[in-house]
């Protein structure tokens, strides 16, 4: 059982990462919220991506969003515009970038809906602000596919807020049309689709008359092929649904393609006459007759935006923190932004944090109980410039770090890093061959089994239950609580079942649970029980390396470096030291390559180790 306890002591320490407080963060850091695309006259793909963030502090809400142009080939980006919203007890102040459209796929000729303290019911054109009659904010803008001077605006599919026949300079309201425009046809300016709950209507005479083509609960948008024959529509009112019509959107021609609870993103390719439907981590491909083709794609993260380059194999997909170019052969990252530091709260790592677990296990000798204590005792900067936290447990010291760009958590052994977890994990993600928080072996098919809210020490925390089976068939489940870390675990390994549950912890100086256990845990963690001289790191090294050692009693300490002939090269330590853990840096820039020995002497304790300088 001591071996089991050792394994748990080592691997349970993996539940620790950086946070600034225990409370759930109210800041949402930048993430991709939209992706569109266009083709220039030279065949270059320009992506428009929207990056959003928000923060709520009590009753004060602030949101920001930025729209960028991104050259898919060179990966060069350019800020188009910023929008913001600020709301408090005095009201709301904002300048919002709504729907954004372009003339002739020219990024310099744009128009977008704008809202603000002095811009209510306005659209911003590349050369003017334009007031829309009626004062309703136009959330959607449509540019005619036949006459670029004809524009329509609508407020989310409820009302037509304006019609312009001079490219957006002047607007008027057409009171005859009852409902909101949700899509234009390529057939003529007078043909478009109107949503009025609970049906979708079509008009061929500017709304003077209209007829129902299908029933629905809520419509998001309608798009048509270049010849107007094929019509695509998406409904957002979970479950979300996507349809295609192969007869100009007429009654009886609608085919249900798919239903899902995830966000649906679509893009069509008139050159190949294919329709792409993305949701979750799947992209399905249909022909224009609604037939599912054998060309489906799988992506790493949940899809938030999708654009198909016409006539090519290229798909551009946006997830929360990454935009990728996808072909059947390769996936290329176009743009990546750091994941939210909020994810690190699943594994709080700060010097002084401590966790005490009550354990029960059953083996061939019967039932047993005990405790397991994990603590963050320090931090260190390794020679390669990476910053790690030192995690102490049952006479072992490990080094862990959190990568803020990828959201991955690493454990370091010598010069090797091992992925322990991806904190940026979506429901349905599978993490193959990573070290989980329970068990010493690499796990496979680690995934979220359940999500919810738990209470610990009278405070509620979101939690995730993880499930995995390792390479030996051992079943492991564990729970991570946001702001706490590992809260419980069950491991079925061979003939031993171990159950652990968090009894107490200290996070950023605040105690939770049975705080009486923390004092005893502190004494156990901070007491060095034996002498130890660790292997230097890195090894081989050039030109510097770190040597760590521990002494259980105060006394005179010597740490010397010798050549292979026994000649003293340098004395690194020669002084009285209190009991504790220490680390010394050895710089051999002026020494030749070769084998060296270092010796620790304190009282009657003497130990030697070998190291290699390789230039």
């Amino acid at each position: 059982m001591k071996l089991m306890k050792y394994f748990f002591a080592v691997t349970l320490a993996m539940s620790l990462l950086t946070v600034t407080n225990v409370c759930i963060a109210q800041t949402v850091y930048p993430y991709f919220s939209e992706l569109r695309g266009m083709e220039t006259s030279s065949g270059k793909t320009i992506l428009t991506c929207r990056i959003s963030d928000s923060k709520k502090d009590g009753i004060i809400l602030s949101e920001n969003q930025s729209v960028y142009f991104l050259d898919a080939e060179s990966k060069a980006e350019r800020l188009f515009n910023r929008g913001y919203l600020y709301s408090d007890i005095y009201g709301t102040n904002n300048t919002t970038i709504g729907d954004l459209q372009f003339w002739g796929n020219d990024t310099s000729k744009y128009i977008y809906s704008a809202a603000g303290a002095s811009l209510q019911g306005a659209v911003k054109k590349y050369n003017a602000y334009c007031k829309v009659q009626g004062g309703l904010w136009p959330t959607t803008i449509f540019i005619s596919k036949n006459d670029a001077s004809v524009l329509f605006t609508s407020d989310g599919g409820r009302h037509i807020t304006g019609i312009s026949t001079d490219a957006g300079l002047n607007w008027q309201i057409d009171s005859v049309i009852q409902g909101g425009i949700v899509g234009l046809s390529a057939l003529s300016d007078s043909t478009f689709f109107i949503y009025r709950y609970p049906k979708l209507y079509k008009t061929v005479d500017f709304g003077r008359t209209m007829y129902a083509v299908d029933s629905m609960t809520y419509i998001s948008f309608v798009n048509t092929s270049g010849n107007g024959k094929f019509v695509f529509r998406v409904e957002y009112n979970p479950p979300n649904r996507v349809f295609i019509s192969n007869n100009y959107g007429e009654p009886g021609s609608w085919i249900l393609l798919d239903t899902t609870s995830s966000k649906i993103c679509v893009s069509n390719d008139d050159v190949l006459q294919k329709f792409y439907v993305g949701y979750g981590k799947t992209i399905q491909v249909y022909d224009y007759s609604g037939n599912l083709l054998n060309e489906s794609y799988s992506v790493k993260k949940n899809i938030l935006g999708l654009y198909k380059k016409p006539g090519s194999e290229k798909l551009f997909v946006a997830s929360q923190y990454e935009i990728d170019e996808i072909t059947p052969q390769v996936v290329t990252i176009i743009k990546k932004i750091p994941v939210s530091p909020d994810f690190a709260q699943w594994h709080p790592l700060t010097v002084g944090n401590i966790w005490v677990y009550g354990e029960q296990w059953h083996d061939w000798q019967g039932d047993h109980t005990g405790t397991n204590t994990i603590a963050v005792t320090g931090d260190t900067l390794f020679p390669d410039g990476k910053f790690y936290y030192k995690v102490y447990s049952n006479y072992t010291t490990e080094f862990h770090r959190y990568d803020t760009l990828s959201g991955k958590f690493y454990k370091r052994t010598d010069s090797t890093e091992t992925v322990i977890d991806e904190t940026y994990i979506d429901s349905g993600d599978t993490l193959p061959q990573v070290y989980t928080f329970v068990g010493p072996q690499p796990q496979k098919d680690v995934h979220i089994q359940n999500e919810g809210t738990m209470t610990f020490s009278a405070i509620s925390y979101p939690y995730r239950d993880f499930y995995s089976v390792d390479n030996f068939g051992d079943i492991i489940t564990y729970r991570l609580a946001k702001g706490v870390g590992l809260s419980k675990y069950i491991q079925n390994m061979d003939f031993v079942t171990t159950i652990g549950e968090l009894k107490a912890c200290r996070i950023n100086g605040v105690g939770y649970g049975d705080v009486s256990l923390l004092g005893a845990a502190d004494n156990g963690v901070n007491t060095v029980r034996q002498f130890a001289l660790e292997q230097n790191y890195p090894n081989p090294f050039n030109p510097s390396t770190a040597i760590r050692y521990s002494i259980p009693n105060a006394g005179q300490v010597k740490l010397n470096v010798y050549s292979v002939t026994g000649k003293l090269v340098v004395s690194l330590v020669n002084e009285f030291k209190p009991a504790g853990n220490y680390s010394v840096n050895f710089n051999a820039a002026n020494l030749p390559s070769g084998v060296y020995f270092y010796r620790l002497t304190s009282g009657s304790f003497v130990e030697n180790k070998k190291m290699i300088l390789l230039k």
Side-chain angles (χ1 to χ4, degrees), residues 203-214:
T203 180
V204 295
D205 57 6
F206 274 106
R208 300 299 184 267
T209 62
M210 59 185 187
Y211 55 96
V213 296
D214 206 1

Side-chain angles (χ1 to χ4, degrees), residues 465-485:
D465 285 336
F466 291 83
Y467 175 90
S468 70
V469 180
D470 70 13
N471 294 319
F472 302 100
D474 301 326
I475 298 175
I476 296 172
T477 61
Y478 58 95
R479 173 171 292 182
L480 298 179
K482 195 172 187 180
V484 173

Side-chain angles (χ1 to χ4, degrees), residues 214-216 218-219 221 223 231-235 240-245 253-259 264 266 275 277:
D214 206 1
S215 297
M216 62 192 68
Y218 185 76
I219 189 72
F221 66 90
N223 190 23
V231 187
F232 321 101
R233 86 166 192 260
V234 175
E235 293 180 27
N240 305 320
R241 303 189 296 172
V242 58
F243 295 81
I244 188 172
S245 165
S253 67
W254 293 97
I255 302 170
L256 174 63
L257 299 183
D258 219 333
T259 301
I264 297 177
V266 299
F275 185 48
V277 180

Side-chain angles (χ1 to χ4, degrees), residues 95-385:
T95 299
T96 303
I97 304 171
D99 193 21
L100 174 63
Q101 302 292 339
F102 300 90
W103 277 280
N105 288 343
D106 185 345
T107 58
S108 67
K109 296 182 178 179
Y110 59 85
I111 186 169
Y112 63 87
S113 53
S118 60
L119 300 174
Q120 187 64 31
V123 294
K124 175 66 172 68
K125 193 179 174 184
Y126 62 92
N127 53 9
Y129 271 111
C130 313
K131 190 75 172 180
V132 178
Q133 298 297 319
L136 294 174
W137 183 42
T139 57
T140 310
I141 299 175
F142 300 94
I143 300 176
S144 168
K145 300 180 180 182
N146 300 281
D147 183 348
S149 64
V150 177
L151 280 71
F152 301 87
T153 62
S154 185
D155 65 335
R158 293 175 298 171
H159 308 89
I160 292 180
T161 57
I163 299 176
S164 174
T165 58
D166 58 3
L169 293 177
N170 296 284
W171 296 82
Q172 60 185 358
I173 293 292
D174 191 331
S175 59
V176 175
I177 302 176
Q178 300 298 313
I181 294 180
V182 291
L184 304 183
S185 172
L187 295 174
S188 68
D189 293 337
S190 60
T191 301
F192 45 84
F193 293 89
I194 299 169
Y195 171 66
R196 190 174 70 188
Y197 180 83
K199 294 182 178 181
L200 177 67
Y201 295 84
K202 181 179 178 181
T203 180
V204 295
D205 57 6
F206 274 106
R208 300 299 184 267
T209 62
M210 59 185 187
Y211 55 96
V213 296
D214 206 1
S215 297
M216 62 192 68
T217 54
Y218 185 76
I219 189 72
S220 174
F221 66 90
V222 171
N223 190 23
T224 66
S225 60
N227 60 8
K229 180 179 180 180
F230 304 98
V231 187
F232 321 101
R233 86 166 192 260
V234 175
E235 293 180 27
Y236 287 124
N237 188 26
N240 305 320
R241 303 189 296 172
V242 58
F243 295 81
I244 188 172
S245 165
N246 55 13
N247 187 27
Y248 304 96
E250 290 296 306
S253 67
W254 293 97
I255 302 170
L256 174 63
L257 299 183
D258 219 333
T259 301
T260 177
S261 60
S262 302
K263 177 180 179 179
I264 297 177
C265 301
V266 299
S267 185
N268 61 290
D269 185 339
D270 275 345
V271 178
L272 301 179
Q273 293 207 332
K274 293 180 181 179
F275 185 48
Y276 298 79
V277 180
Y279 57 87
K281 301 177 181 64
T282 301
I283 301 171
Q284 305 280 12
V285 185
Y286 299 85
D287 63 21
Y288 273 11
S289 295
N291 299 309
L292 179 63
L293 303 178
N294 189 27
E295 298 182 29
S296 298
Y297 298 81
S298 294
V299 295
K300 296 185 297 182
K301 295 293 181 181
N302 289 334
I303 299 168
L304 297 179
L306 178 65
Y307 173 69
K308 175 63 173 60
K309 182 178 177 67
S312 78
E313 294 183 321
K314 293 181 180 179
L315 275 167
F316 296 93
V317 178
S319 57
Q320 197 169 9
Y321 300 104
E322 188 172 307
I323 297 176
D324 296 323
E325 176 189 294
I326 300 177
T327 68
Q329 295 79 29
V330 67
V331 176
T332 304
I333 298 176
I334 301 296
K335 181 176 175 63
K336 189 175 181 66
I337 56 179
V339 303
S340 170
D342 181 67
F343 289 118
Q345 294 192 38
W346 293 101
H347 319 285
L349 176 63
T350 302
V351 175
N353 283 2
I354 191 169
W355 293 259
V356 180
Y357 299 90
E359 280 193 347
Q360 303 176 31
W361 67 93
H362 177 83
D363 57 20
W364 53 91
Q365 295 179 326
D367 296 325
H368 310 271
T369 60
T371 59
N372 188 20
T373 300
I374 310 296
V376 186
T377 61
D379 52 49
T380 185
L381 184 67
F382 274 68
D384 59 5

Side-chain angles (χ1 to χ4, degrees), residues 538-593:
N539 187 42
F541 67 98
N542 179 29
S544 60
T545 186
I547 301 173
R548 295 187 292 271
Y549 65 92
S550 303
I551 55 173
N553 306 306
Q556 188 70 22
V557 176
K558 292 183 180 181
L559 180 62
N560 296 332
V561 177
Y562 299 89
S563 68
V564 290
T565 62
K567 180 181 178 181
L568 177 66
V569 174
V570 63
S571 179
L572 298 176
V573 178
N574 187 9
E575 60 183 296
F576 185 89
K577 291 279 191 182
N581 301 303
Y582 297 92
S583 179
V584 178
N585 187 63
F586 171 46
N587 192 312
N590 297 323
L591 296 175
S593 296

